[in-house]
Amino acid sequence: MAPTLFQSASILLSLISSFPLSDAHSHNHGKAHEHLHNLHKRDLVVPTSLPGTWTSSGCYTDNVGGVRTLQGAATADNTAMTDEACIAYCDGKGFNYAGTEYGQECYCGNTLSSGSGNAPVADCNVPCTGNTSEACGGGSRLNLFWNHQAPPPDPVTNPGPNGWTSLGCYSEATNGRTLTNGQATPGGGGALTVALCTTACSNAGYTLAGVEYGGECYCGNTFVGGGAPATSGCSMTCNGNSSEYCGGPGHLNAYSFGPMTSSSTSGTATTASSTSASTSATSTGSSGWSLVGCYTDQNPRTLLNFQQVTGGSAAMTIELCTAACKSGGYTLAGLEYSGECYCDNSYHNGGGPAPDGNALCNMPCNGNTAETCGGPNRLSVYSYAAPVVGPSWSFTGCYTDQAPRSLLNGGNVPGGGAAMTVELCQAACHSGGYTLAGVEYGGECYCDNSVHNGGGPAPDGNAGCNMPCNGNTTETCGGPNRLDLYTYGGGSGTPTSTSSSATSTATGPAIVSSIGQYNFLGCYTEATGARALQGATFNEPGMSLEICAAHCATFTYFGVEYGTECYCGNTLTTGSVLATNQADCSFICPGNQNEYCGAGNRLEMYQLNGNSTVSSSTTSSTSTSATPTGTGSASGLPAGWKYAGCYTEGVNGRAVAANTQPDNNALTIESCVNTCIGLGYTVAGTEFSTQCFCDNFVSNGGALVADTDCNMGCAGNATEKCGGPNRVSVYASGNLTVYGVPKTQTDNLPGSWQYQGCITDNINNRRPLDWQLILTNTNNATTCLSACSKFGYMAGGMEYGDECYCGDSANLAAVGSTVRPESECNDPCSGNRSTICGGGNRISYYTWTGTPLYNWAQPTGSGMGAYQFLIGGVCIPLMTSPAVNGKVTFVEKYGTGEPNSTGAYELDLAFIDNPAQAWRPMHVKTDVFCSAGVTLPDRAGRQINIGGWSGDSTFGVRLYWPDGSPGNPGVRDWQENVAELHLQTGRWYPSAMVMSNGSILVVGGEEGSNGAPVPSLELLPQVGPIMDLDFLRQTDPFNLYPFLSVLPSGGILIIYYNQARILDPVTFATLKQLPTLPGTVNHPDGGRTYPLEGTAVLLPQHAPYSEPLTVLVCGGSTPGDSLAIDNCISTQPDAADPQWVIERMPSQRVISCMTALPDGTYLILNGAHHGVAGFGLAQDPNLNAVLYDPSKDLHSRFSIMANTSVARLYHSEAVLLPDGRVLVSGSDPQDGTHPEEYRVEVFVPPYRLNGLAPPTFSIQNKDWAYGQTVTFTVTSSQGNGIKVSLMGAETSTHGNSMGTRSIFPAVSCAGNTCTLTAPPDAKICPPGWFQMFVLDGPTPSHSTWVRIGGDPGQLGNWPPFNDFDKPGLGPV
């Protein structure tokens, strides 16, 4: 007779049982087993528990006749899309329909396009990228969802808020913006409304406002460049209010404040001529792109990467798609269905030139109907060629760049890095007299006349120069450590290089004699009671003389003041003269450290083709006969605001520094205060009649002076005073805080921290300190470093004023961080403006110099323990349980797992060399996928399995009576009958525990696969109804598989998400709420239970049990960014004031396991360095085991043990074997990278490798009463001292070892005869089965199973159904 499938598997496993655990053999074994079992994934599901009133409408057709079923909004996510995520996106946009397609795409709308309709459910067969168990549509198929709401009214054109009047729809100018001043609004473009834009323009002094592309705001006082009224094109709703229009592609909804004047439309502007020609239906796309042709596309995709574009699908053009693909590093771009963009570097899945040529690439682009954007299942494909080269410049190539720089001189461009283009960088370098220009990181410009420090052509060609320019995404501006290099003058294209020892000739800031055609005049004062230059002004955080010169190119004069302010004019106002002390202009330009940019009330002055003789204007500034009525006399100030005094400007920056408003010729005290309130500030300052500044403090050494110094009338109300030259009239809400000149904090530091210097950050996109905290209002050395040391980090620092970083000093050298001059760390701390918190990419760096905050042992040799291959498996277990018959039960998915699985197996270790005998198939009737399990205290030690995946499985209660013995096969099997024995409510991901009274407590879970939460508990055998637990409802969905324990006080400890409490064992009322569990240093919301899965145990209880019991919780993850936690925390719940103690682990770990060992230590193993629990949701397996020894001092308890080569990710287990080894099994990541793991390993602890023979013993009494004296005989030992450990029967699943407990009873010996005293009661030791180990010094024996506390719940007679075998009551 032919062998059965199971026998075949066993034969195969016997052949591979000697395979070493190498990656190559792991691969081969997985392939062989895959062929044998014909592995397949389970059917995809559609979630049934959805937010609010949303429900599934089934599988729907899409793209019928080339028309999208849902046309309101679209997004895509190739790593995290789920049906729930799509619903949340559409719901947030105000749409009533949501649909997922192709696994990663999401569409929204308020109506369904005609022609769409139901499709077979089987057509929606593509798994969601964020949850591979869910269906997210298919090829031209939507999983459709509806919230049962009527569609909202159609959007309308806002008639004009707060004195503004709608002018209708205007086209953009033909050679530039119709309104030239882009304006930021609160909340950014994603929250834009018409009112937010008009208010922003009004506050900035403009009378025209325009909204465009749903999220852009522009201001001006005239329409320029040919912008004109349009009859269509304003069809995009506002991102912040879908009931009103906010322009469209190339069109503005325009508004005017007050009556519209003729001058508003008659203005002209000089703009650079456009270099781009209009596109036709066969546009060549953006610069460097060429049309390949019309290509086929179907499921799966020809180009695999869906790409979002600015403005979304409704704004799609060829240019937007090619730019988006280029920014993503792709060389192929494809457009489809008028509004979809796909990118890649090669063609996939058989896609190629369409057999019908261009016939079906016939759909106009949504954002430009003159262009063609593919068609139904057809892509208009473009490929990328070469970069842009400016006039007189030749492209040299992609060059390497690192510290120190290849080009030594930073080039500053108008608008800074955010406006960077190739042409702007070339112009900046040329104006500085350089012949080489290089652009990098999208927004950086460097200049020189030769290449330095070993820079040269990149070894990977142009591949690394792949970042789009910030100011023109159709151009490339280098990449990380890569320069797009250009040479001026049409030279050979090969620049001269110098050796790495070359140094820059710059020695520090100096007076620059000329900037282009502008010549230096000197350091000038401001005018008497007015600005020296009154033509134009702007503020630039990265200011340089070159930037100001470019901004003032149409004026005779330009001057830079306060480091960041630029002023232009054609005359000098009376009173502006050469400063008596020319050294007054001492502020260094932030955009060029080799230049001076004026100072407070001092201008670095330049004149076009000028010399030192300056003709001042004979006209003075406008005056008024009105007499100011006194500083602080403004009427109508908001409640709580008051005048705070006249202050000098800061010593090295503005006194009111956070926000600088444009000069406003209508400025009043009230308008400035209201502007600052609107921006969220509590301090406002006015200066020079027209200037308004906002902050929450006075800082940088601003000092209080006489009110008479603030003597200039406000430009908008001359009866009020608005500061003066170098003087600020300050108003505040509440008490005013004033800070001096910030200094580095070097004393009064917390703990043993010591300042080390100003260091570089963000080197090649790598950080020297890994953990980032954003402390918007509280950052300073004390706050930051206290947080770092609390979580065990001995290196820390601050950056950008409000950022705190923690980590390890060893990382600095690894990433190349270096010490810089102290002057480069100059940002005041957000929590203490008198101290410095780094700067731009500069960290104020500190290290801990006291007693180390942790000490991890690193044993070698046998002290590390060892991983060993045990046996080839026959299933991918979800749960493992050592049984009282000396064997181990395995259960796996049944019905959703492998088609030939029986759902359960038993491993007999006595037959480990004969896999055919070692594995006994067992059977379940429903799916145990993500269930709970414990060993019952009945006389047979039956195992119970509770809950499951869906339908009847979630109600399932399954029982197994272990029989046989090692080497003697059993015959019993799992028993269940859901019609008779079942839970009161279905549960998926529940936890279970044997209570002190012998009942079974079942807590939490979900209704079924991704179903609604079940925030309740119930008892088995059934007693009363289920009990609602509101604290679980409040922490959904992060509280599944909660950790449950009986405490010596009698209470029940439950740990869920980041919360813990003690429940009354009778009423289940809360007796004590414990403090919130700490997460990571930057994520207090980090969690410890599924899906943020960590692991937990109780630390050993030692007779006489007078010390409070300690619980230990290790690892976990954080919501959102899925940062695995790198610490263990512990507390004593029964203590009067329990507090969590944090101990840093040697590595981050999530979806891990922890196994109690008989010597009182704990093995932490399995899991990943990043992610959360779930299919495909964790990355970077953690292959290292760690030993935790609670007998050692705090922070010195971890030892770094051996590594495995087998990734144990989601659905892995670890349990203690009778011989003291740890059985390691499972891993079902379904991530496309790591296999579903059949192999079974053991971890061999050091006590099995120390060369000492384990003791042996015999015992007759294996059924103990509480407090009973029990005798046993030690039959062999080394005489190193006898102890006994009692290890609770455990069931391992999802990081939860249900039933685990470690007890060390009192023992005394006389010769070889020893007695022990059983634990005193069910609170110290809940009734149940324990492995009894005898330890001879550090070495444990093999165990014997004993029962303690009997069967007080009389489970031996349960359940009361004839088809269940029951052992009855009585002794073992």
Side-chain angles (χ1 to χ4, degrees), residues 862-926:
S862 62
M864 300 171 61
Y867 278 94
Q868 295 177 356
F869 178 80
L870 181 66
I871 191 171
V874 293
C875 68
I876 306 161
L878 300 183
M879 181 181 293
T880 55
S881 306
V884 299
N885 62 357
K887 305 176 186 182
V888 183
T889 59
F890 288 60
V891 294
E892 71 164 334
K893 290 178 287 187
Y894 178 68
T896 56
E898 310 311 326
N900 56 324
S901 172
T902 61
Y905 297 87
E906 187 174 61
L907 174 63
D908 189 340
L909 299 170
F911 294 126
I912 203 66
D913 295 325
N914 187 345
Q917 287 183 284
W919 292 103
R920 179 169 76 95
M922 301 171 72
H923 305 81
V924 292
K925 296 179 181 178
T926 56

Side-chain angles (χ1 to χ4, degrees), residues 614-632:
V614 181
S615 173
S616 294
S617 169
T618 58
T619 61
S620 63
S621 60
T622 303
S623 63
T624 176
S625 60
T627 301
T629 58
T631 302

Side-chain angles (χ1 to χ4, degrees), residues 44-71:
L44 300 176
V45 298
V46 177
T48 57
S49 179
L50 299 172
T53 58
W54 287 87
T55 61
S56 171
S57 297
C59 185
Y60 262 63
T61 59
D62 193 19
N63 302 321
V64 178
V67 178
R68 280 280 179 210
T69 296
L70 300 175
Q71 300 184 19

